[in-house]
Amino acid sequence: MLRMTSAAPNVDRAEADLAALVERVSVARMRATVYELAGDRYAGRRVGTPGGHAAATWLAERLGELGAEVRLSGFDVADVRELYETPVLEWSADRRARRLEHRRDFVEHLASAELPHPRSAPLAGPSETSLRGRWVLAQAGDWARVCERAEAQGAAGVLTARGADADGWMPKMIAGPPARQVPVIALHTEVHARMAEALAGGPVQVTGSMPLRRIATRGHNVYARFPHTPHPEGGDDREGGSRVLLTAHYDGVGDDPDRRLPAAADNASGVAAVLEAARVLSAAPAPAVRELTVGFLDAEEAGAWGSAHHAPALPPDTLLINLDGAAQLHQAASVEAGGPAHALLAVLDQAARRTGVPLRAGAMASDNRRYAAAGLAAIGIGMGMPGYQTPAETPDRVQPDTLVAAARLLVATVWLLSGRARPDLAL
């Protein structure tokens, strides 16, 4: 419940208005949005896919229903990693064969060369003199140097080590370093250790494929501008107040060829909270700010292409709040401020105090950084992503209380930026 902080009658009234406004946030609407975007027909919402474009269209329709002026803006995206078939990895020692499970036991390394068909070869340690025609077992911190030797000697490929999450999944990514000239496969650390132990005791045979290619595609941002209306008490504040942009990326990493990756936390949850905040603010009895816009951004997972396309076109006085993850609030929401955001950060802090949302400084490597790099006041907020970029990132793991906290924080921040509740906080 919103906490009141002043006894002045006019401030009390404004605070009461804000308290009533944040109570309009609907958890049912937000959960419905999360379940919709995580559904089968969107297929993980990767940039450039039919599922990704369908999600953009659905969001544009929802924003239009709120009375916003909506448009889609297309842009080119390069070097997206596309896994077009399920990769294979098997190894054998002491006449015993072991077939490994993709995303549990091994995963694509984003620097891998394409290997469309399985290749069988003996396994070698990185210190062996000759690597030609052999798979090479490299340590996680040494894979790049081993790749150089493997490329020079014509090795079959390189196997390196990588950890898994608490659920035992190895997350999927679609943007990474430049491609090597040899296939590179990342093994679960435990599998890597077992292979190394087996290799120390005798010959090991490996069969692996990596049907991973790099593609160019096209993304689509969804922009919505909510029309300005005069204050009911008279006058028109077009020349004053703040120009606020709320953003969240709607794209995901896309499904695997044989598995769903619902992308419920990252970032259907953030989109749901921004959409609900926009609904509440657009239906408020008085406009909260000079201009309120929403951007649902594409291609964040491929390298934040959507925000890079958008940021240079914005007026320099735009105040940006980006929400990436609103699924599992633990001790506090992570907040990163960039650009000339000191005053905006102070307003966010006041909104957090009023809505009871704890904040802490933390890295938020998301679209907010593109806007900050363009010289805008930009804040990134994150409230957790259980199952991050794995099949376990399902809608049931998105906590309703976290969705409510995120939406209320956004609503309160935008309202306070108008100066109605506290004139000294207006920017």
Side-chain angles (χ1 to χ4, degrees), residues 131-192:
L131 304 180
R132 179 168 297 278
R134 305 174 77 178
W135 286 96
V136 188
L137 192 65
Q139 295 297 324
D142 200 33
W143 71 272
R145 186 187 66 83
V146 173
C147 280
E148 292 177 0
R149 287 191 61 216
E151 290 165 343
Q153 296 188 30
V158 173
L159 306 176
T160 186
R162 180 175 298 167
D165 68 9
D167 298 316
W169 292 104
M170 302 179 75
K172 179 177 183 175
M173 293 172 282
I174 59 173
R180 307 297 313 207
Q181 298 175 31
V182 292
V184 186
I185 300 176
L187 305 175
H188 191 293
T189 51
E190 294 179 1
V191 174
H192 187 279

Side-chain angles (χ1 to χ4, degrees), residues 40-351:
D40 292 349
R41 78 186 185 102
Y42 301 110
R45 307 190 306 277
R46 201 206 74 198
V47 60
T49 62
H53 195 264
T57 301
W58 186 85
L59 288 168
E61 291 171 352
R62 302 292 80 74
L63 289 165
E65 291 170 355
L66 300 181
E69 302 166 3
V70 183
R71 66 183 179 92
L72 270 67
S73 177
F75 54 92
D76 293 329
V77 181
D79 204 27
V80 177
R81 273 61 163 185
E82 181 179 69
L83 191 68
Y84 55 91
E85 290 180 3
T86 302
V88 170
L89 190 60
E90 302 174 353
W91 67 285
S92 59
D94 298 326
R95 299 182 180 180
R96 181 184 172 191
R98 303 161 179 85
R99 185 177 181 90
L100 303 181
E101 182 181 356
H102 178 238
R103 213 157 296 288
R104 285 291 196 183
D105 301 317
F106 75 102
V107 74
E108 59 275 9
H109 193 293
L110 295 176
S112 180
E114 184 179 6
L115 181 60
H117 306 296
R119 177 181 294 168
S120 296
L123 184 64
S127 61
E128 295 192 31
T129 303
S130 177
L131 304 180
R132 179 168 297 278
R134 305 174 77 178
W135 286 96
V136 188
L137 192 65
Q139 295 297 324
D142 200 33
W143 71 272
R145 186 187 66 83
V146 173
C147 280
E148 292 177 0
R149 287 191 61 216
E151 290 165 343
Q153 296 188 30
V158 173
L159 306 176
T160 186
R162 180 175 298 167
D165 68 9
D167 298 316
W169 292 104
M170 302 179 75
K172 179 177 183 175
M173 293 172 282
I174 59 173
R180 307 297 313 207
Q181 298 175 31
V182 292
V184 186
I185 300 176
L187 305 175
H188 191 293
T189 51
E190 294 179 1
V191 174
H192 187 279
R194 289 197 295 269
M195 276 197 186
E197 183 180 1
L199 184 61
V204 175
Q205 187 78 6
V206 172
T207 298
S209 71
M210 188 45 61
L212 182 72
R213 60 192 171 201
R214 286 152 178 78
I215 65 167
T217 187
R218 194 155 177 81
H220 294 86
N221 288 341
V222 184
Y223 304 136
R225 180 182 181 276
F226 289 89
H228 178 97
T229 56
H231 192 283
E233 295 178 356
D236 189 341
D237 62 358
R238 279 184 192 274
E239 301 305 320
S242 304
R243 191 191 309 270
V244 180
L245 170 64
L246 302 179
T247 61
H249 77 88
Y250 70 87
D251 65 302
V253 293
D255 287 347
D256 280 345
D258 62 347
R259 270 203 181 100
R260 289 287 345 271
L261 279 82
D266 183 22
N267 186 32
S269 64
V271 169
V274 169
L275 182 61
E276 180 62 8
R279 184 190 71 83
V280 171
L281 289 164
S282 66
V289 289
R290 170 185 171 194
E291 181 178 277
L292 175 64
T293 56
V294 168
F296 289 134
L297 306 170
D298 201 358
E300 192 269 354
E301 302 294 358
W305 290 75
S307 49
H309 169 72
H310 188 211
L314 292 174
D317 61 343
T318 301
L319 307 176
L320 179 283
I321 304 174
N322 181 68
L323 181 60
D324 196 353
Q328 191 177 66
L329 182 61
H330 291 294
Q331 295 180 345
S334 295
V335 175
E336 177 180 301
H342 296 293
L344 177 58
L345 188 61
V347 177
L348 179 73
D349 180 68
Q350 288 296 321

